[in-house]
């Protein structure tokens, strides 16, 4: 009932404020303006940053912080109009004797007629070893007609408490695979993401990488310390990789350290693939995506025994399918969108022979290769199981390099990170091959086998058979004669 009364009180104030005319003394029908902390969180208890707002969320009076990212605390003034700048003084008290944080602007925020929210930034410079707290209090306002806090006696939101609890710092690659052309001096930038932030002095001399090198390169750090959420690295190729018949590959792996644990994508492949002569105008990949439909999907039949009754059947599923965006210099690039201008710097190119599977929702994953059915306890969020999104996933090789109707396919070899709901995380190596054919007007069928390798979960490699279609208008394939099919595993 306490929160219900608070909502009603706030709603009443806003109804009065926005249904009446302006008044120079910042009151409307004797209802004064008010200033308060306006710290909001989403359903995952993640802070919303201004200008993200939601009238359905009650501002918090405290927050449990386990991150060393900069914490942003909005202060909001509810008013129709301001003739002059208004300043609000606030105090800061901390249970810590250490110099854990800096705060800005210190002790005062300000408001103008076109800016009724100001933000207090709390920057953490070191780790805390025990539970600490930071308390902010609104003390005074330069305009005496403005009320301190909400216009109710339940939760005025003039005090905000930040409880500092044990820190969890992790890092992950934002992608798991990058292709290069093999030109000397070629530069590839990639990022390591720190969801809960990092302390520059801890990272500066830390060996966060292990390497399995397949060519000569130099690795440099571009922006250590400029922010605390990601670090960008640059790989510069020191040699010419010009044998088109050989696959070149370097694998960079994130190490687990005392303060930082690798999660999500732990392996990054830098690959110069075998070069195959293909006519880009065939653009076979374009038959498998439709960017005008964010929920476009391809359809899969998977030979499986997930109910474990000893009988293999085709199981139907789907995955959201997308093109692979590449640079104009990629030998398989086709122009998708020139933005209607002669400026080529913003042109978008797609790979003529690769497709990938991804989710249209940024925090979730799709069911690439029906992988979600391989496991009984899989976590499906993008942070912990990015491997359910496979981009790129499949590459096409038209017959004679020019056929528009048939050829062979490659399941692009890579490492997929998938975690269980119990917190266990694994890297699965995938590979495979097959064929494709146009079986009807614009209807393509892919026949292929997928190899999935992990010693701990599978004891080695398991192989499964698939059919994939670019439309739902297909006939379920005939049963296979083999009982070699997939059952579920526990992560």
């Amino acid at each position: 009932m306490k929160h219900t009364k608070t909502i009603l009180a706030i709603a009443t104030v806003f109804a009065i404020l926005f249904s009446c005319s302006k008044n120079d003394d910042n009151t409307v029908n004797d209802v004064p303006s008010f200033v308060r902390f306006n710290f909001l969180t989403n359903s995952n208890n993640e802070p919303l940053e201004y200008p993200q707002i939601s009238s359905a969320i009650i501002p918090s009076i405290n927050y449990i912080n386990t991150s060393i990212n900069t914490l942003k605390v909005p202060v909001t003034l509810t008013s129709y109009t301001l003739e002059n700048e208004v300043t609000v003084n606030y105090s800061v008290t901390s249970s810590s004797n250490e110099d854990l944080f800096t705060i800005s602007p210190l002790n005062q925020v300000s408001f103008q007629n076109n800016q009724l929210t100001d933000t207090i930034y709390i920057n953490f410079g070191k780790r805390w070893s025990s539970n600490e707290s930071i308390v902010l209090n609104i003390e005074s306002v330069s305009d005496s007609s403005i009320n301190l806090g909400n216009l109710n006696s339940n939760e005025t939101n003039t005090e905000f408490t930040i409880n500092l609890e044990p820190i969890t710092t992790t890092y992950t690659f934002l992608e798991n695979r990058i292709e290069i052309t093999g030109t000397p001096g070629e530069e590839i930038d990639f990022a390591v993401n720190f969801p809960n932030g990092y302390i520059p002095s801890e990272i500066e001399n830390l060996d966060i990488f292990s390497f399995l090198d397949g060519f000569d390169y130099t690795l440099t750090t571009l922006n250590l310390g400029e922010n605390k959420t990601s670090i960008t690295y640059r790989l510069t190729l020191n040699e010419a990789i010009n044998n088109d018949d050989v696959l070149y590959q370097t694998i960079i792996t994130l190490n687990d350290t005392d303060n930082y644990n690798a999660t999500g994508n732990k392996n990054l492949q830098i690959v110069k693939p075998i070069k195959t002569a293909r006519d880009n105008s065939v653009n076979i990949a374009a038959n498998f995506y439709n960017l005008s439909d964010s929920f476009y999907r391809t359809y899969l039949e998977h030979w499986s025994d997930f109910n474990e009754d000893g009988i293999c059947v085709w199981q139907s599923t789907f995955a959201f399918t997308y093109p692979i965006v590449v640079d104009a210099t990629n030998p398989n690039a086709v122009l998708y969108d020139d933005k209607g201008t002669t400026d080529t710097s913003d042109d978008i190119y797609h790979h003529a022979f690769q497709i990938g599977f991804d989710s249209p929702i940024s925090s979730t994953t799709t069911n690439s290769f029906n992988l979600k059915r391989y496991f009984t306890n899989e976590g499906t969020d993008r942070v912990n199981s990015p491997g359910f999104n496979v981009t790129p996933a499949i590459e096409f090789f038209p017959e004679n390099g020019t056929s528009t109707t048939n050829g062979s396919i490659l399941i692009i070899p890579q490492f997929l990170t998938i975690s269980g709901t119990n917190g266990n995380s694994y890297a699965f190596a995938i590979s495979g091959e097959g064929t494709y054919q146009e079986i009807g007007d614009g209807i393509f069928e892919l026949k292929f086998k997928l190899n999935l390798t992990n010693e701990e979960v599978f004891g080695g490699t398991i192989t499964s058979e698939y059919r994939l279609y670019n439309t739902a208008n297909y006939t379920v394939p005939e049963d296979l004669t083999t009982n070699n099919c997939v059952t579920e595993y526990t992560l």
Side-chain angles (χ1 to χ4, degrees):
M1 289 298 295
K2 181 178 180 181
H3 286 321
T4 302
K5 291 178 180 178
T6 302
I7 294 173
L8 290 173
I10 295 173
T12 301
V13 171
F14 274 101
I16 295 173
L17 283 173
F18 288 95
S19 63
C20 304
S21 60
K22 298 180 181 179
N23 189 302
D24 289 342
D25 64 359
N26 292 327
T27 64
V28 181
N29 287 2
D30 297 326
V31 178
S33 300
F34 56 95
V35 62
R36 82 285 193 200
F37 292 113
N38 195 28
F39 191 90
L40 307 177
T41 59
N42 62 20
S43 58
N44 295 323
N45 202 38
E46 298 167 336
L48 298 180
E49 295 185 11
Y50 179 79
Q52 293 177 306
I53 59 173
S54 174
S55 59
I57 301 175
I58 300 173
S60 302
I61 60 173
N62 54 57
Y63 177 69
I64 296 175
N65 184 53
T66 60
S67 165
I68 51 180
N69 283 330
T70 298
L71 187 64
K72 303 174 184 179
V73 182
V75 185
T76 299
L77 173 64
T78 301
S79 175
Y80 243 116
T81 184
L82 296 177
E83 289 187 347
N84 302 302
E85 181 184 59
V86 170
T87 58
V88 173
N89 295 319
Y90 71 93
S91 63
V92 184
T93 57
S94 174
S95 65
S96 172
N97 294 321
E98 299 181 58
D99 185 19
L100 290 179
F101 63 93
T102 59
I103 191 166
S104 65
L106 184 60
N107 295 331
Q108 189 177 88
V109 291
S110 61
F111 307 91
Q112 299 178 26
N113 196 35
N114 60 348
Q115 181 254 313
L116 297 179
T117 291
D118 203 355
T119 302
I120 299 171
Y121 297 86
I122 303 174
N123 296 287
F124 299 97
K126 60 178 67 174
R127 292 177 181 268
W128 47 92
S129 56
S130 59
N131 290 356
E132 309 284 356
S133 64
I134 302 170
V135 181
L136 309 177
N137 269 289
I138 295 176
E139 303 287 356
S140 62
V141 59
S142 61
D143 186 334
S144 60
S145 70
I146 297 174
N147 193 70
L148 297 184
N150 294 321
L151 303 183
N152 65 79
S153 58
N154 294 321
E155 292 178 1
T156 61
N157 290 99
T158 56
E159 180 177 288
F160 183 69
T161 301
I162 302 147
N163 295 304
L164 305 180
E165 297 196 357
I167 305 168
T168 300
T169 43
T170 62
Y171 49 18
T172 183
F173 288 119
L174 294 182
E175 51 194 330
N176 68 336
R177 188 178 185 276
I178 300 175
E179 289 189 6
I180 60 175
T181 63
T183 305
E186 182 177 0
E187 295 179 340
I188 298 295
D189 293 346
F190 64 89
V192 175
N193 191 42
F194 295 76
N196 285 334
Y198 66 88
I199 296 175
S201 60
E202 294 180 345
I203 295 294
E204 188 173 5
N205 298 311
L206 190 64
D207 292 328
I208 69 172
F209 297 132
S210 296
F211 304 93
L212 182 61
D213 294 333
F215 47 82
D216 185 27
Y217 63 90
T218 300
L219 190 64
T220 55
T221 306
L222 293 187
N223 67 347
L224 179 63
E226 291 183 10
N227 63 63
K228 294 183 179 180
T229 59
S230 68
I231 301 174
T232 302
Y233 297 86
R234 173 165 293 168
L235 183 149
T236 304
L237 190 61
N238 295 332
E239 63 173 319
I241 303 177
N242 49 23
N243 188 338
D244 292 336
D245 298 324
V246 175
L247 172 70
Y248 294 85
Q249 177 175 258
T250 282
I251 300 175
I252 304 176
T253 300
L254 285 172
N255 299 323
D256 285 328
T257 66
D258 289 340
N259 288 328
Y260 298 87
N261 294 321
T263 61
N265 291 322
K266 303 177 185 180
N267 298 293
L268 175 63
Q269 295 171 277
I270 312 293
V271 180
K272 194 270 184 182
I274 295 172
K275 187 175 181 179
T276 304
R278 289 172 286 187
D279 181 357
N280 287 359
S281 65
V282 172
N283 195 12
I284 193 69
N287 294 282
F288 293 85
Y289 59 82
N290 178 9
L291 291 182
S292 65
D293 177 5
S294 60
F295 295 102
Y296 179 85
R297 64 202 71 185
T298 52
Y299 297 86
L300 198 70
E301 296 288 336
H302 183 199
W303 191 241
S304 57
D305 178 22
F306 290 126
N307 62 3
E308 298 187 21
D309 62 0
I311 301 174
C312 300
V313 297
W314 288 114
Q315 183 187 50
S316 301
T317 186
F318 63 85
F320 297 108
T321 312
Y322 293 89
I324 302 302
V325 177
V326 296
D327 293 333
T329 55
N330 189 294
N332 299 119
V334 290
L335 180 63
Y336 169 71
D337 188 358
D338 64 2
K339 303 293 187 179
T341 68
T342 58
D343 181 8
T344 61
S345 64
D346 60 355
D347 290 352
I348 299 175
Y349 289 84
H350 290 166
H351 199 294
F353 305 105
Q354 289 183 353
I355 58 172
F357 306 117
D358 205 341
S359 170
I361 302 172
S362 62
S363 61
T364 63
T365 54
T366 192
N367 192 18
S368 304
F369 301 120
N370 204 27
L371 292 176
K372 292 180 180 179
R373 286 305 310 272
Y374 276 65
F375 311 108
T376 61
N377 62 326
E378 73 282 359
T380 59
D381 63 286
R382 190 183 294 253
V383 172
N384 294 304
S385 295
F388 285 128
N389 296 326
V390 185
T391 55
I394 296 173
E395 185 159 1
F396 299 89
F397 297 88
E399 187 173 291
N400 299 320
T402 58
S403 175
T404 60
T405 60
N406 67 290
S408 61
I409 65 168
L410 176 73
I411 306 302
I412 297 172
Q414 58 193 284
F415 294 99
L416 307 179
T417 299
I418 297 173
S419 299
T421 53
N422 54 13
N424 294 337
S425 180
Y426 304 92
F428 296 89
I430 66 166
S431 63
E433 59 184 0
T435 61
Y436 72 92
Q437 184 174 6
E438 187 176 17
I439 59 175
D441 187 14
I443 301 175
F444 285 85
E445 179 187 60
L446 279 61
K447 299 179 179 180
F448 61 93
K449 293 182 179 181
L450 174 74
N451 305 312
L452 201 62
T453 302
N454 182 281
E455 287 291 338
E456 191 173 354
V457 177
F458 302 137
T461 300
I462 59 174
T463 300
S464 193
E465 296 215 32
Y466 296 83
R467 304 290 185 266
L468 184 145
Y469 303 89
N470 64 332
T471 173
N473 299 319
Y474 66 90
T475 301
V476 176
E478 294 183 0
D479 286 350
L480 302 177
T481 57
T482 176
N483 283 329
N484 178 24
C485 56
V486 175
T487 58
E488 289 184 321
Y489 294 80
T490 300
L491 295 172

